Amino acid sequence: MNTKPVALTCGEPAGIGPELAPLLWAALKDELSFFLIGDPSHLPPGSRYVTIGAPGEAPAAMAQGLPVLPLPMGAARVAGQPDPSHAAGVIAAIERAVTLVQSGEAAALCTLPIHKKALKDGAGFGFPGHTEFLAHLAGVDDVVMMLASPALRVVPATIHIALSDVSKALTPERLASTIRITHTALQTQFGIAAPRLAVAGLNPHAGEGGTMGREELDWIAPLLETLRHTGLDIAGPLPADTMFHAAARARYDAAICMYHDQALIPIKTLDFDRGVNVTLGLPFVRTSPDHGTAFDIAGQGRANPGSSIEALRLAWAMAKGTPA
């Protein structure tokens, strides 16, 4: 059983990340161990923290304060005002965390939110976001986003694209890859020996026999049948409007959805504060809270640590092979 600490990256210094870190320590210090990679001078005044030199020191340090593996960024934090001079440090924190997870010194990675424009302005960051950068660092081509909570796990096959582009982006190859990666991750990272997947249709009522669209008849249903012959337990394509009530959710371990809102509306309705972003397909565990930098409330003491608490808990459980 892996009991090494989780690496927590600092995220955007001007956002709520520095305020969340001490709250996470206070909430979880008796439950699990983690350490922050970032600049300790960015933490709120009076924060209890302990500087460590290596991840292995974090479990003992948890009793005294937030363990911090220092990565000085050379400029003060101004809440709500991103500073491009922090960009190189924020990127370095992510790179350092990946190195520590891949070397086995850390059990898993949990990332606090970044601000892509500040990274681009300050360091020429050329990736659409965290996930693509992590895939690059890990040397993998295909990764999948899962949103997970105690109530529901959802995976969108297409993510941040216009609804008008979904039918073009949603190819048989893309959907098959999403399903296979999700199935494997449920086995290897969630400890589910025989995952049950439910796949939503693209069109209302899953096309209703072709009267509301033919994608289900023409290729989605045949693809799912082919995957079933390989041993996967898949239901679908199903009407999305009847997939998320309690009795339906009891019949599957994860729902594969066709586009962003089809997946995220149900989980955010059911369990808004406990949703966790999980990247599947990486050679290590990576979670993050399901929110952004929240510049509008940074520095006001209003940050809600709920999603970040759940992200650390899930990373810890997945690393040990005992996810909630």
Side-chain angles (χ1 to χ4, degrees):
M1 182 178 291
N2 194 340
T3 56
K4 294 178 181 178
V6 176
L8 177 69
T9 56
C10 58
E12 167 55 49
I16 59 174
E19 300 162 49
L20 289 174
L23 299 177
L24 300 178
W25 170 76
L28 298 170
K29 57 186 171 66
D30 297 322
E31 183 178 332
L32 55 85
S33 64
F34 71 94
F35 62 96
L36 175 71
I37 304 177
D39 193 328
S41 73
H42 291 169
L43 296 172
S47 297
R48 288 180 60 182
Y49 71 89
V50 178
T51 299
I52 62 173
E57 300 171 20
M62 287 291 292
Q64 305 301 318
L66 170 70
V68 179
L69 192 64
L71 198 160
M73 298 192 187
R77 170 195 188 237
V78 179
Q81 299 180 31
D83 184 345
S85 70
H86 293 146
V90 172
I91 293 168
I94 299 168
E95 293 171 335
R96 177 70 170 144
V98 169
T99 297
L100 292 172
V101 175
Q102 289 183 314
S103 71
E105 294 181 75
L109 169 61
C110 182
T111 59
L112 292 176
I114 58 174
H115 184 58
K116 293 180 283 293
K117 184 178 186 303
L119 298 186
K120 183 177 180 180
D121 291 347
F125 189 69
F127 296 89
H130 244 136
T131 300
E132 294 83 0
F133 186 43
L134 291 170
H136 166 73
L137 293 175
V140 298
D141 294 324
D142 294 323
V143 293
V144 167
M145 181 179 82
M146 171 186 280
L147 273 295
S149 81
L152 178 65
R153 302 184 189 98
V154 292
V155 174
T158 63
I159 307 176
H160 297 124
I161 60 174
L163 189 58
S164 59
D165 294 332
V166 168
S167 61
K168 292 176 287 186
L170 186 68
T171 63
E173 294 77 17
R174 182 167 191 165
L175 182 57
S177 176
T178 299
I179 290 170
R180 291 191 184 102
I181 289 172
T182 302
H183 180 269
T184 299
L186 289 171
Q187 290 181 315
T188 60
Q189 296 185 321
F190 287 83
I192 301 173
R196 302 165 301 161
L197 300 178
V199 179
L202 172 64
N203 297 295
H205 299 182
E208 200 162 283
T211 62
M212 297 186 189
R214 293 197 52 86
E215 287 88 351
E216 288 81 5
L217 288 176
D218 289 347
W219 68 267
I220 296 174
L223 171 65
L224 300 187
E225 186 61 25
T226 297
L227 292 173
R228 289 187 193 102
H229 285 304
T230 70
L232 275 64
D233 184 347
I234 304 174
L238 303 171
D241 61 352
T242 58
M243 281 181 59
F244 299 107
H245 60 84
R249 298 198 309 273
R251 295 193 287 268
Y252 58 79
D253 300 301
I256 309 294
C257 299
M258 298 301 176
Y259 53 92
H260 182 276
D261 284 10
Q262 192 182 61
L264 271 65
I265 287 174
I267 191 169
K268 291 191 176 186
T269 300
L270 288 166
D271 213 353
F272 185 84
D273 289 329
R274 295 192 295 174
V276 176
N277 188 330
V278 186
T279 303
L280 310 181
L282 294 171
F284 50 81
V285 172
R286 182 265 176 143
T287 67
S288 68
D290 184 27
H291 60 70
T293 54
F295 289 136
D296 58 324
I297 63 169
Q300 300 176 27
R302 296 167 52 196
N304 183 345
S307 182
S308 296
I309 288 171
E310 294 302 323
L312 277 169
R313 279 179 172 154
L314 184 57
W316 177 256
M318 289 173 68
K320 294 192 299 176
T322 58

